[in-house]
Amino acid sequence: MKAKLSRLIKTNEPAPKASVATPDEMEQQKWKDHGGEILTFEGEWCVRIRKTYPLDEVYRDFKFGEAGQMMARTEHPFFAVDLDPDQVLFMDTETTGLRGSGTSIFLIGFARIRAEQLEMIQYVLPHPAFETAFYYHFLQDIGDEVRFVTYNGKSFDWPQIKTRHTFVKSRVKQLPSVGHVDLLHAARRLLKPRLESVSLKAVEAYFGHERTDDLPGFLAPMHYFQYVKERNPEILLPVLEHHHADCLSLVSLYTRLSQLVTTPVTDFGEERAHWLHDLGEQDQALREFEQLPSPSKRAIMRQAMLLKRAGRFEEAIPLFESIHTIEGYVELAKYAEHKQKDVALAMDYTERALEILDQKRTVLRQTMQREKDALEHRRARLERKRT
């Protein structure tokens, strides 16, 4: 009888309630289904997506390992890096706008070479209020000293990161010590004379890496806002694919642009020489100028000036004479007057410069007058010496 009564009591007990997943848990599960990892910090969370590639895998027309080889051997001051390859991050961001304190970053990613593979990592901000977790894990993962390879990242991406970091810096680690290899500057130096635009898309196309079926970058914020509203990661997948391609493209472009300045490609010899000159690498620049088969007047003038600074003016004389410019004749006049002590020759060079000036028709009148005054002053001084 007791056993029967006990069974009756048990059947009348209410069944335990089934646990109901919270909206965050349901969203997190969707990210896990797409290969994401949920990272938490102080009640907030973000998503990390990681993918690896073998270094011998061919991407477009190069192997990922070529970038690491280039980092190890390049001596060009722009492309050289002074850290181990795994501290060099090919980094890009996606933001909710272009400028302003109200603009936030919702996606940061980078590719880096580690051991025998290329690692690609993306960090997703699932909600604008979760920036602390977002930046905490990004900064923890990249370490205390890095070198960024970006495309306009020195002027845009990194300043945006620094701006947003100010809102969370009391709770996360300080920003690392960074250096930049901004490939936009390299593209401008090397490709601007050949391309109407040096946008990332145009430079990719120049190297034969044109994308198809890629989400236009300006649509990324719209996708993000829709994702935040609906909490459905699939809305953001096209943005992740676009951003993923951007980061891998940086690996490719670092390799390709480095090759233009480290291998003897005649077509880019003058661009290389001018760049080295502006970087202060005078010895290397002079060697490049001396090897040009058909240098421009600007290149000849710079070569002659480098020879002058190196104390090799006798070699510079025929170069100054060959370009038939006011600047060249002024240099020759100064040398003839002060070094050769040949006032007549200095006067001849000054007269030639004045003849060129008289023929000018496209120079601003004010600039032309200044040049004329300087040359006439030189001529007057030489006439006094001659008499």
Side-chain angles (χ1 to χ4, degrees):
M1 178 65 94
K2 287 183 179 181
K4 185 176 180 180
L5 185 60
S6 176
R7 287 198 298 271
L8 288 171
I9 293 172
K10 286 183 179 180
T11 55
N12 289 328
E13 288 179 353
K17 292 183 179 180
S19 60
V20 179
T22 67
D24 271 2
E25 290 172 338
M26 290 189 289
E27 185 179 355
Q28 290 172 7
Q29 185 57 52
K30 292 176 184 177
W31 277 114
K32 292 176 183 178
D33 294 341
H34 287 289
E37 178 185 2
I38 306 304
L39 306 175
T40 60
F41 181 73
E42 294 189 357
E44 301 177 8
W45 62 278
C46 66
V47 183
R48 180 171 60 196
I49 302 170
R50 181 176 179 270
K51 187 173 182 179
T52 60
Y53 301 88
L55 292 183
D56 60 359
E57 181 168 328
V58 176
Y59 178 73
R60 293 171 175 168
D61 64 342
F62 84 110
K63 294 180 180 179
F64 288 121
E66 291 181 48
Q69 295 166 9
M70 184 61 70
M71 277 189 270
R73 72 169 183 263
T74 184
E75 295 181 356
H76 192 280
F78 181 84
F79 293 99
V81 292
D82 55 350
L83 297 178
D84 293 335
D86 64 353
Q87 293 173 279
V88 179
L89 310 182
F90 298 84
M91 187 269 290
D92 186 46
T93 66
E94 296 293 340
T95 70
T96 58
L98 292 179
R99 295 288 178 188
S101 59
T103 296
S104 62
I105 299 170
F106 65 85
L107 178 58
I108 302 178
F110 58 81
R112 64 180 166 190
I113 296 173
R114 307 193 80 170
E116 298 303 317
Q117 62 187 14
L118 180 133
E119 179 182 56
M120 177 69 210
I121 300 180
Q122 294 171 295
Y123 302 83
V124 182
L125 177 67
H127 190 283
F130 291 170
E131 281 187 303
T132 303
F134 182 62
Y135 286 104
Y136 172 82
H137 288 287
F138 168 67
L139 294 173
Q140 284 292 116
D141 286 354
I142 67 175
D144 295 325
E145 188 170 14
V146 296
R147 299 292 178 264
F148 287 128
V149 180
T150 64
Y151 206 86
N152 199 32
K154 189 173 183 180
S155 299
F156 180 76
D157 298 84
W158 182 240
Q160 287 289 330
I161 290 173
K162 290 197 293 184
T163 296
R164 300 311 301 178
H165 178 263
T166 60
F167 295 102
V168 299
K169 65 180 181 180
S170 63
R171 299 165 65 192
V172 305
K173 66 182 291 185
Q174 294 301 305
L175 294 172
S177 171
V178 306
H180 294 270
V181 179
D182 194 328
L183 298 180
L184 174 60
H185 301 304
R188 284 174 175 163
R189 280 285 183 174
L190 298 170
L191 301 178
K192 194 169 184 179
R194 293 166 167 78
L195 299 176
E196 293 183 5
S197 165
V198 288
S199 66
L200 179 60
K201 182 179 179 180
V203 173
E204 285 178 327
Y206 176 83
F207 288 108
H209 300 166
E210 206 159 2
R211 300 190 205 179
T212 58
D213 302 325
D214 182 49
L215 177 77
F218 69 88
L219 293 178
M222 297 171 59
H223 279 255
Y224 178 66
F225 294 135
Q226 189 68 21
Y227 154 72
V228 171
K229 180 180 179 181
E230 299 186 20
R231 309 193 72 167
N232 182 0
E234 290 191 4
I235 297 171
L236 213 52
L237 293 184
V239 180
L240 292 171
E241 293 172 6
H242 167 84
H243 175 259
H244 188 105
D246 279 350
C247 293
L248 296 186
S249 183
L250 293 174
V251 184
S252 168
L253 292 182
Y254 173 84
T255 308
R256 292 290 167 256
L257 290 167
S258 298
Q259 289 173 340
L260 295 184
V261 297
T262 57
T263 56
V265 183
T266 303
D267 287 349
F268 289 89
E270 185 158 329
E271 287 88 346
R272 292 200 307 268
H274 286 302
W275 197 3
L276 287 167
H277 178 279
D278 294 340
L279 288 169
E281 302 292 330
Q282 297 189 2
D283 292 340
Q284 292 184 56
L286 182 56
R287 287 194 293 271
E288 290 281 356
F289 282 127
E290 289 174 337
Q291 295 171 14
L292 296 179
S294 303
S296 66
K297 283 188 176 184
R298 179 171 176 249
I300 294 172
M301 182 68 185
R302 283 192 153 185
Q303 179 185 349
M305 291 300 293
L306 288 173
L307 288 169
K308 172 190 172 182
R309 295 185 193 121
R312 298 161 57 186
F313 204 98
E314 291 297 328
E315 297 174 58
I317 289 175
L319 297 177
F320 283 130
E321 289 181 333
S322 69
I323 56 178
H324 304 293
T325 64
I326 293 173
E327 296 79 11
Y329 284 132
V330 168
E331 290 296 330
L332 290 166
K334 289 191 289 187
Y335 184 73
E337 178 185 0
H338 301 295
K339 298 296 183 182
Q340 296 175 303
K341 307 300 181 182
D342 189 335
V343 176
L345 183 57
M347 177 67 78
D348 179 60
Y349 285 134
T350 303
E351 293 287 357
R352 292 192 211 180
L354 280 165
E355 288 175 9
I356 294 173
L357 185 63
D358 289 339
Q359 295 169 3
K360 280 187 175 183
R361 293 294 181 268
T362 58
V363 181
L364 289 174
R365 183 173 297 177
Q366 189 176 6
T367 303
M368 184 174 175
Q369 188 60 48
R370 282 200 302 269
E371 290 181 334
K372 186 175 183 179
D373 291 345
L375 289 169
E376 286 180 344
H377 177 74
R378 180 178 297 280
R379 179 170 60 183
R381 191 184 70 251
L382 291 170
E383 285 177 346
R384 289 195 298 271
K385 280 189 174 184
R386 188 163 58 179
T387 57

